Amino acid sequence: MRNEMMSHPVVHEKVQKFLRQQPLNISPALAQIEAWANERRVPIIPRETAAYLYQLVSLQAPQRILEVGTAIGFSSALFVEADPKNVQVTTIDRFDTMYNHAKDNWQRLGYQDQIELIEGDAADILPTLQSDYEMIFLDAAKAQYIKFLPDALRLLAPNGVLLIDDVLQGGTIFDDIATIRHRNKGIHRRLNELLTTVYQNPDLNVSLLPLGDGVLQITWREH
């Protein structure tokens, strides 16, 4: 479950080091979970991404957040802490070794009533969902993002924001595919397809944020 791109920043290493040394306004218990994950290189969102998402949730106050990719439950707990009075998080994951750890973390934090876990493959679950979500966060198998995109956009509220994490492959996403290792060629093709698809959609506003391994931020464009 380790993410090899955690050690390949897309910004200058000195900038990344500075950002990851800055305080994050989370509870001591959640900070312990973050530290535990970082020490063991368990894939959670890095400090700079966490700080941005925390601020975004605090400002926009979304009542319903959908997350694909629970891991150990750090980011879903972060959403709750950013707006503890309003937010309800639905998160999807198919790896029991991860989401069982997440359940333990939420119980420890006391957030179990604000986070709903749906166990299973997001490719099967997303088409069954109907509600509008003011925020959707995709942080799962990168090769599946392009498959998840139609349902993510269908579920995105008119004033909502879709965030897609880890889209740059340490910057190699822009390299010629002939230079990409065979096992990563499928991810390379599908992430490039994702970028092309969202940027060419006239109904979307798209920003590529140099946070972590790259975050796509997508909103609906007003006509």
Side-chain angles (χ1 to χ4, degrees):
M1 298 301 296
R2 293 184 179 182
N3 179 4
E4 64 185 51
M5 293 302 169
M6 292 172 74
S7 300
H8 295 273
V10 296
V11 297
H12 195 288
E13 289 186 11
K14 290 182 180 179
V15 176
Q16 183 196 68
K17 182 178 179 180
F18 171 80
L19 293 172
R20 295 188 178 180
Q21 289 176 336
Q22 302 315 304
L24 181 61
N25 187 27
I26 56 177
S27 67
L30 187 55
Q32 288 178 357
I33 293 169
E34 180 192 34
W36 180 93
N38 288 335
E39 288 169 3
R40 293 161 179 79
R41 298 190 61 76
V42 175
I44 64 170
I45 54 175
R47 176 63 64 90
E48 65 272 24
T49 304
Y52 178 75
L53 294 180
Y54 186 99
Q55 186 177 51
L56 188 63
V57 172
S58 297
L59 287 170
Q60 295 201 340
Q63 293 185 354
R64 294 175 58 80
I65 297 178
L66 175 64
E67 175 186 60
V68 178
T70 307
I72 62 169
F74 174 77
S75 51
S76 48
L78 179 88
F79 298 148
V80 172
E81 292 203 353
D83 189 12
K85 293 182 179 179
N86 297 310
V87 72
Q88 290 286 330
V89 181
T90 299
T91 183
I92 303 169
D93 207 299
R94 63 191 180 96
F95 295 108
D96 56 359
T97 54
M98 299 294 275
Y99 64 63
N100 284 332
H101 199 156
K103 290 178 185 178
D104 291 340
N105 285 333
W106 299 330
Q107 186 73 31
R108 171 184 169 191
L109 293 162
Y111 300 157
Q112 64 274 13
D113 292 338
Q114 289 178 263
I115 302 173
E116 175 193 14
L117 171 66
I118 303 178
E119 302 170 7
D121 194 324
D124 299 324
I125 293 167
L126 286 173
T128 71
L129 301 180
Q130 298 299 326
S131 299
D132 284 348
Y133 294 90
E134 291 92 353
M135 181 175 290
I136 300 176
F137 183 50
L138 302 186
D139 187 17
K142 295 181 283 295
Q144 297 299 310
Y145 287 161
I146 188 64
K147 185 176 182 179
F148 297 158
L149 181 64
D151 278 309
L153 292 174
R154 176 181 62 83
L155 294 166
L156 187 64
N159 62 339
V161 56
L162 168 62
L163 300 131
I164 308 178
D165 199 25
D166 296 330
V167 297
L168 292 181
Q169 287 289 93
T172 64
I173 193 67
F174 304 114
D175 294 346
D176 189 295
I177 195 169
T179 67
I180 303 299
R181 287 186 295 178
H182 178 75
R183 69 175 185 175
N184 291 331
K185 287 184 185 294
I187 294 174
H188 187 275
R189 291 192 188 95
R190 291 182 181 95
L191 286 177
N192 272 284
E193 182 183 356
L194 174 72
L195 292 172
T196 299
T197 299
V198 296
Y199 271 107
Q200 291 185 354
N201 188 328
D203 294 323
L204 302 177
N205 289 313
V206 182
S207 296
L208 180 53
L209 309 178
L211 300 168
D213 194 26
V215 177
L216 268 179
Q217 179 170 290
I218 300 167
T219 59
W220 293 112
R221 178 176 294 174
E222 294 185 6
H223 293 288

